[in-house]
Structures are given as C-alpha cells and as structure tokens.
Amino acid sequence: MENFPLDWHFLTFFGDSMLLLPTAFILFLVLLSSATTRRAGWQWGFIFGGVGAIVCASKLAFIGWGIGSAEYDFTGFSGHSALSASIWPAFLWLISAGSRPLLRRIAVLLGYLLPLAIGWSRLVIHVHSTSEVVTGLILGLSASTLFLLLQRRSSPPRLGAVKTLILLALPVLLMGHRQPAPTQSLLEKIAVTLADRERPYTRADLHNLLK
C-alpha cells in the first residue's frame, strides 16, 4: 500500500472539504430551487450542517482543551470520513433520480461505498486513527441514511439537464484543481484563541498524559 501514495491521496481528496463544502452547497441550492424538492433541501441543509458542526466541535475540543481519548487514540471525528459519508449517498441519489430504479440503487450503493474507501485512505496515509475514521463514518452514514429515509415516500426528483450539469460540473472542476482546504490550520487558530493557549494540543500530547 505504501508504494502508491499518489493514488491514495487522489482518493482521499474525495473527502476533502475543498471539494465537499461547495458540492454540498450546490446540492442545497438545487434542492431549494424547486417547490417539489424544497423540503428535502432544508432537511439536507440541517442534516449536513449538523454533521459539520459535530465534527468541528470534536476537533476544537481536542485542539483547544485536549479533550480526547488516549486509550482509543481519538482526537476528534475524521472530517473526511464524516462529510463524505453524509454527502455522497445523497449526491448520487439526486444525480440518478431520473434513472431506472436499479440504476438508482446502484448509484446510492456507490455513494455508500465511496466513503468507506475514503476512510481507508485516511488510515493508509496515516492522518487518522481507526477510532476517528470509524466514528466519522458512523456519523456521516447515519446522517445520509436519515436524509434518504426522509425521502422514501417522495417521488424521485426530476432535475433536468441543466441542474444535473451544474451538480456534476463543480466536483469535476474541483477535482481538476485538487487543492486541499486549510481546514486543520484554521481550526487550530480558532481553538487556541478560544482556549487562550500558545499552541494547539497534539496527538503526542494526548499520549504523553499516560506516561
């Protein structure tokens, strides 16, 4: 696995907030643009926003105050895992909404499998612990499943060519750019300011508490 770092970094970008946050916002706007999907849009906004808030809160709690678990090597939910697991099932559900039922099921299944691969990539490139990835996936997949369950009694939305193109164009453009978002450094600045610390807590600090 260590012989293919570029492949794993390419895969992990599918969970980067530089890609996911704009995509989530476009998804939100597209759903709000039609009266038939407006309710789903607000549901999506609250659910995805809730996931983002929980992830940020867990990271700030550790970076600023050292709240984590040395036993489970936990310093906060994996944002790549949680956000990708919350958005890709919903995104592919919407993109495939006008397709045959079998194709829709396959698309949603891919939406569930992609975050699992992204979570695995975070482990391969050694940026998260197993507990952070697993809990992030559970959080995100629970959110996307809740959203899809809320839509089960509604007819699949018909986006039309223009809206479908808008939804697809942004991720494609961002994948070509592939510039990771400076999310971690921004959270560190916020946390140390709120906690009135000179430097952020690190994973090493967490494990040093056991010595």
Side-chain angles (χ1 to χ4, degrees):
M1 291 186 296
E2 296 296 338
N3 295 325
F4 303 98
L6 292 179
D7 290 342
W8 289 113
H9 281 84
F10 174 78
L11 178 58
T12 208
F13 186 73
F14 279 91
D16 195 277
S17 56
M18 180 64 77
L19 171 65
L20 294 186
L21 294 184
T23 301
F25 184 63
I26 291 295
L27 178 59
F28 176 63
L29 292 181
V30 167
L31 287 171
L32 286 185
S33 66
S34 172
T36 58
T37 58
R38 193 160 296 148
R39 182 177 180 181
W42 287 115
Q43 290 170 340
W44 162 251
F46 282 117
I47 291 173
F48 184 79
V51 170
I54 292 171
V55 170
C56 287
S58 71
K59 290 180 177 291
L60 290 173
F62 175 74
I63 296 170
W65 292 271
I67 300 173
S69 171
E71 180 181 0
Y72 295 104
D73 197 18
F74 183 82
T75 64
F77 296 102
S78 165
H80 280 65
S81 302
L83 296 184
S84 66
S86 62
I87 187 173
W88 288 124
F91 182 85
L92 290 176
W93 164 80
L94 186 58
I95 287 295
S96 63
S99 305
R100 298 176 183 177
L102 178 59
L103 291 178
R104 289 204 306 271
R105 294 190 186 98
I106 292 174
V108 172
L109 177 60
L110 290 175
Y112 277 99
L113 293 177
L114 180 57
L116 299 180
I118 293 169
W120 181 253
S121 75
R122 304 304 284 170
L123 297 176
V124 172
I125 62 177
H126 306 297
V127 292
H128 279 298
S129 68
T130 301
S131 66
E132 292 161 357
V133 168
V134 170
T135 55
L137 288 172
I138 291 173
L139 174 63
L141 292 175
S142 297
S144 57
T145 300
L146 173 60
F147 173 75
L148 293 178
L149 286 175
L150 289 173
Q151 315 314 315
R152 68 189 186 280
R153 294 182 180 177
S154 303
S155 299
R158 303 282 178 171
L159 293 183
V162 175
K163 290 182 180 179
T164 301
L165 182 61
I166 291 173
L167 275 175
L168 289 173
L170 182 62
V172 170
L173 290 173
L174 291 173
M175 284 303 301
H177 184 54
R178 276 213 302 164
Q179 181 64 42
T183 309
Q184 186 67 22
S185 60
L186 178 61
L187 288 174
E188 288 177 356
K189 290 178 182 178
I190 295 173
V192 295
T193 299
L194 293 176
D196 194 23
R197 286 179 52 83
E198 293 184 358
R199 67 173 184 85
Y201 276 99
T202 65
R203 195 179 299 275
D205 294 327
L206 180 68
H207 292 290
N208 285 336
L209 294 175
L210 298 179
K211 298 180 179 179

